[in-house]
Amino acid sequence: MAVKRKSEFRKIMKKYWKNGTAVLGTCLLVFFIIVAVFAPQIAGVNEMGNNYQIPRVSWSSKPIAPTSEHPFGVIGGRDIFYGVVWGTRTAFRLGLIITGFSALIGVAIGSISAYFGGWVDEILMRIVDIFLSIPFLVAAMVMTTILGKGLDKVIIALIIFGWMSTARLIRGNILQAREEQYVLAAKALGQKDWKIIMKHILPNTIFPVVVQMSMRIGSYVITAAGLSFLGVGAEPGYADWGTILSYSRNWMTMLNESWFAIVFPGTAMVLFVLAWNLVGDALRDIFDPRMRS
Amino acid sequence: MDSKNALLQVKDLRTYFHTEDGIVKAVDGVTFDVYSGETLGIVGESGCGKSVTSLSVMRLLDEKGEIAGGKIIFEGRDVMAIPESQMMKIRGNDMAMIFQEPMTALNPVFTVGFQIMEAILLHQDVNKEQARTMAIDMLRKVGIPEPEKRVDEYPHELSGGMRQRAMIAMALSCNPKLLFADEPTTALDVTIQAQILELMKSLQEQYGMALVMITHDLGVIAEMAQRVVVMYAGKVVEYAEVLTLFKKPRHPYTWGLMNAIPKLDEDKEVLYNIPGVVPDPLDFPDGCRFNTRCPLATDKCRKEEPPLVEVEENHTSACWYVDKLVEMIKVSRAGEGA
């Protein structure tokens, strides 16, 4: 039996590795993980204190082009290489925490809504509508302004305004799955209600959420960077890709002197988003047996 | 037959659905018995309440449906009085059901083996290894080739006929005493249909279970059933042994259904069909519910509902004009003979 299972798993993995985009996504992700884990070895540590503060290397605000000492250059007196490398950790933290918590809230609210139906459903879905009616970025900006500066505040703001689409997705999926004949068939076999939910309804509804989550990890990093760029995100000097970008804001008219402050963190961001999207696609193929053939 | 020995007795069953538009009387006074080892056919057009009858007996109605009256007695126990926790043990173990659409009745994210094992583990005191062996055995019994390999395949990897076989394996895995088959062959090719029916027949003999065959296909009834309930608009209109029914139909609806079957030796441009459609369950006509489509309908039929009465031994029909029908059938059959 174990042998059989293993061969099934191997079959999937074989297919996975044959899929070029999936391999590319995984490689990128592994690369980012390595960078995040070995950040102290790659970029060193901040001897002045907090490692997540990019150390000052110059007191002049003028950008300094890449040199062997500062391979990605310097902007606002901060070493961009250090910021990009340590920013990888920030990106993972942002993406995983925001997505994890907003998915948790979304799944809880969506399942409650679908399971109980009636007025509970009505109230919860109207709340979702209210939250959705506020433009996401504006809402997040207002929240961070109220809560104050700092990365943890950004995380809270994005969780508060990030759970609705998951709630809707899971609610719709559960409502659909509940009507499926295999649910009736399971009941006809004498299966218990909660087991039907756990075994038959959730597995058929949770995969789209997992796929959606992995794709959103990337997009949350972009949003958080956007907030930092607008000055309502992380504190100045924090090792965060958006923060580095925000330094380049004052030099936008002189791109020939400051391009490196945009290109390096920007590339990191694009590749990060790409990695999660490709992995999301691959996850869908793995999770859904219908996609395997 | 003495109805006291019946495995299942359904007496004057009424199942109503409460919808926004009003009360739908999907099943409205249905009575029949099922005996161990026999096959009872329930036949009628779509929307006659055939499936609702079986769902009512298994107490699987959704929250809108309600058993509004009547009695269901299974092995001498009143099904309606059994607590839900007990009912779960009965479902799958004593009563099981197979469905029309084998694609949607199997969960797409699990292997067929997993799903059969689930049924076995639920009702039998065995471990996973044993359950797996039993599942493979079951797949072999229903005629799936290479069961050791198929057991690890997903529903989408099997053909329609295979899926229905897997469904049957699942339903029979706990050796139920009573099996409801709700249009089990409707979604399949004709050749596969014949195979599945053959399979069900031989499994029935092997296990000695009672089978309730729900279908709109009189051909399936002729093949499988010993006794037949003909349903129309939530009511039983005729109830007879299968040979009697085909030889001597005593309700215009049954006669109409029989006429709608094309015959091999006839060359017709247009097949006969019963004019009209099944009436809206929210708005059944007064009197006999078949009066809107019946060639024999009179004012009496439009006012008074005919009771289900015995026309001969073990043969009941609900029609005011059985005599006229007999006359009509005689004329029609004489015409065919000429």
Side-chain angles (χ1 to χ4, degrees), chain B residues 82-94:
Chain B
I82 298 173
E84 181 59 29
S85 58
Q86 286 272 317
M87 201 62 211
M88 278 179 186
K89 285 181 192 141
I90 292 176
R91 279 184 216 128
N93 204 20
D94 295 323

Side-chain angles (χ1 to χ4, degrees), chain B residues 18-289:
Chain B
H18 301 276
T19 68
E20 279 166 22
D21 301 319
I23 293 174
V24 173
K25 299 181 176 178
V27 175
D28 200 13
V30 165
T31 303
F32 60 82
D33 299 329
V34 185
Y35 298 89
S36 290
E38 75 153 0
T39 301
L40 177 81
I42 301 183
V43 70
E45 282 164 284
S46 304
C48 283
K50 297 167 298 187
S51 304
V52 176
T53 305
S54 62
L55 291 176
S56 304
V57 173
M58 289 193 77
R59 290 224 330 238
L60 285 172
L61 297 165
D62 61 22
E63 57 266 34
K64 286 191 188 107
E66 176 213 5
I67 297 176
K71 265 211 150 80
I72 302 165
I73 293 164
F74 179 69
E75 291 190 298
R77 294 169 78 189
D78 182 356
V79 170
M80 262 119 79
I82 298 173
E84 181 59 29
S85 58
Q86 286 272 317
M87 201 62 211
M88 278 179 186
K89 285 181 192 141
I90 292 176
R91 279 184 216 128
N93 204 20
D94 295 323
M95 291 184 204
M97 191 173 219
I98 51 181
F99 298 87
Q100 179 173 349
E101 290 284 341
M103 185 70 242
T104 54
L106 291 169
N107 192 332
V109 301
F110 295 120
T111 61
V112 287
F114 180 92
Q115 297 184 56
I116 298 171
M117 280 165 65
E118 189 189 352
I120 296 171
L121 290 168
L122 207 57
H123 295 291
Q124 292 180 34
D125 192 20
V126 291
N127 65 30
K128 278 196 171 173
E129 283 304 316
Q130 288 167 310
R132 190 181 156 84
T133 318
M134 287 164 82
I136 293 173
D137 267 358
M138 217 48 232
L139 288 174
R140 188 177 293 118
K141 268 188 194 143
V142 296
I144 290 183
E146 298 180 87
E148 294 86 358
K149 187 169 155 255
R150 296 291 182 185
V151 74
D152 287 312
E153 287 190 358
Y154 288 89
H156 70 93
E157 294 173 286
L158 304 178
S159 68
M162 290 277 205
R163 268 181 236 137
Q164 194 56 288
R165 282 170 196 266
M167 255 325 280
I168 294 172
M170 209 162 125
L172 295 189
S173 58
C174 292
N175 192 4
K177 293 171 187 138
L178 177 62
L179 178 67
F180 289 97
D182 190 350
E183 307 250 8
T185 57
T186 307
L188 306 174
D189 296 346
V190 186
T191 47
I192 309 294
Q193 271 187 28
Q195 289 174 16
I196 296 283
L197 291 179
E198 242 354 276
L199 170 72
M200 292 184 67
K201 244 184 182 173
S202 75
L203 288 172
Q204 187 189 16
E205 272 162 31
Q206 225 174 312
Y207 287 89
M209 67 192 169
L211 179 62
V212 176
M213 192 82 187
I214 297 165
T215 179
H216 61 260
D217 186 344
L218 279 174
V220 172
I221 293 287
E223 175 87 8
M224 300 288 290
Q226 277 98 52
R227 288 177 316 118
V228 189
V229 173
V230 182
M231 280 184 75
Y232 183 78
K235 284 193 175 288
V236 175
V237 293
E238 193 167 358
Y239 184 23
E241 273 165 33
V242 68
L243 282 176
T244 319
L245 188 85
F246 278 91
K247 265 190 212 151
K248 299 187 273 184
R250 288 296 175 261
H251 194 280
Y253 180 60
T254 317
W255 176 233
L257 285 179
M258 282 176 190
N259 274 335
I261 306 171
K263 296 184 186 71
L264 274 178
D265 54 353
E266 269 179 3
D267 191 15
K268 274 190 198 164
E269 287 283 313
V270 183
L271 292 175
Y272 173 80
N273 65 350
I274 305 173
V277 289
V278 182
D280 180 359
L282 283 166
D283 187 24
F284 282 132
D286 289 336
C288 174
R289 289 183 178 174

Side-chain angles (χ1 to χ4, degrees), chain A:
Chain A
M1 188 165 148
V3 175
K4 193 80 203 174
R5 288 279 152 73
K6 216 170 175 183
S7 81
E8 167 90 350
F9 179 71
R10 213 173 274 162
K11 225 164 66 185
I12 297 167
M13 289 321 285
K14 212 171 161 189
K15 200 161 254 171
Y16 184 83
W17 290 118
K18 270 191 189 153
N19 182 347
T21 53
V23 173
L24 179 64
T26 315
C27 290
L28 276 172
L29 202 58
V30 168
F31 170 74
F32 277 114
I33 291 171
I34 291 172
V35 170
V37 170
F38 295 105
Q41 284 76 33
I42 296 169
V45 292
N46 185 350
E47 270 131 30
M48 310 299 287
N50 188 351
N51 279 334
Y52 288 98
Q53 282 295 323
I54 310 174
R56 263 189 188 280
V57 292
S58 146
W59 291 100
S60 148
S61 68
K62 268 198 78 159
I64 303 168
T67 60
S68 58
E69 204 180 333
H70 307 295
F72 287 1
V74 175
I75 193 146
R78 314 275 179 173
D79 181 28
I80 297 174
F81 182 70
Y82 186 97
V84 169
V85 171
W86 280 88
T88 312
R89 284 191 177 191
T90 310
F92 273 111
R93 200 169 63 207
L94 273 174
L96 293 175
I97 293 178
I98 298 172
T99 321
F101 277 96
S102 62
L104 214 63
I105 298 173
V107 167
I109 290 189
S111 340
I112 290 171
S113 198
Y115 188 79
F116 289 102
W119 60 272
V120 178
D121 181 34
E122 199 65 35
I123 290 173
L124 288 176
M125 282 304 112
R126 292 302 79 75
I127 293 175
V128 166
D129 285 344
I130 293 168
F131 271 81
L132 276 174
S133 67
I134 311 166
F136 180 60
L137 204 61
V138 176
M141 275 174 70
V142 173
M143 270 321 281
T144 44
T145 318
I146 295 169
L147 294 169
K149 245 176 158 11
L151 204 69
D152 44 341
K153 313 291 191 318
V154 173
I155 290 175
I156 293 170
L158 292 186
I159 290 173
I160 291 176
F161 286 96
W163 55 272
M164 296 85 73
S165 62
T166 312
R168 275 203 171 168
L169 184 70
I170 197 113
R171 174 181 172 270
N173 281 334
I174 289 179
L175 287 183
Q176 196 190 352
R178 222 173 49 164
E179 298 300 316
E180 293 284 351
Q181 222 172 25
Y182 53 75
V183 172
L184 187 63
K187 276 188 197 160
L189 283 174
Q191 189 61 279
K192 294 177 191 72
D193 273 347
W194 67 269
K195 272 200 165 169
I196 290 176
I197 294 174
M198 297 303 290
K199 271 189 162 170
H200 291 276
I201 296 181
L202 271 185
N204 272 291
T205 52
I206 205 81
F207 297 146
V209 174
V210 174
V211 174
Q212 189 204 36
M213 271 172 73
S214 87
M215 300 210 174
R216 280 168 62 181
I217 291 175
S219 72
Y220 277 131
V221 170
I222 295 262
T223 312
L227 291 176
S228 295
F229 181 80
L230 294 170
V232 290
E235 312 89 10
Y238 198 86
D240 164 56
W241 296 337
T243 309
I244 305 172
L245 276 181
S246 74
Y247 280 115
S248 70
R249 202 171 41 189
N250 302 330
W251 301 91
M252 265 200 270
T253 49
M254 287 171 275
L255 276 180
N256 56 337
E257 282 177 54
S258 70
W259 57 270
F260 41 86
I262 299 170
V263 168
F264 295 116
T267 310
M269 253 185 256
V270 168
L271 291 180
F272 193 78
V273 174
L274 184 70
W276 281 108
N277 273 305
L278 295 178
V279 168
D281 272 344
L283 282 180
R284 187 191 56 213
D285 295 352
I286 288 183
F287 279 141
D288 193 339
R290 283 162 294 190
M291 304 287 287
R292 279 182 212 159
S293 52

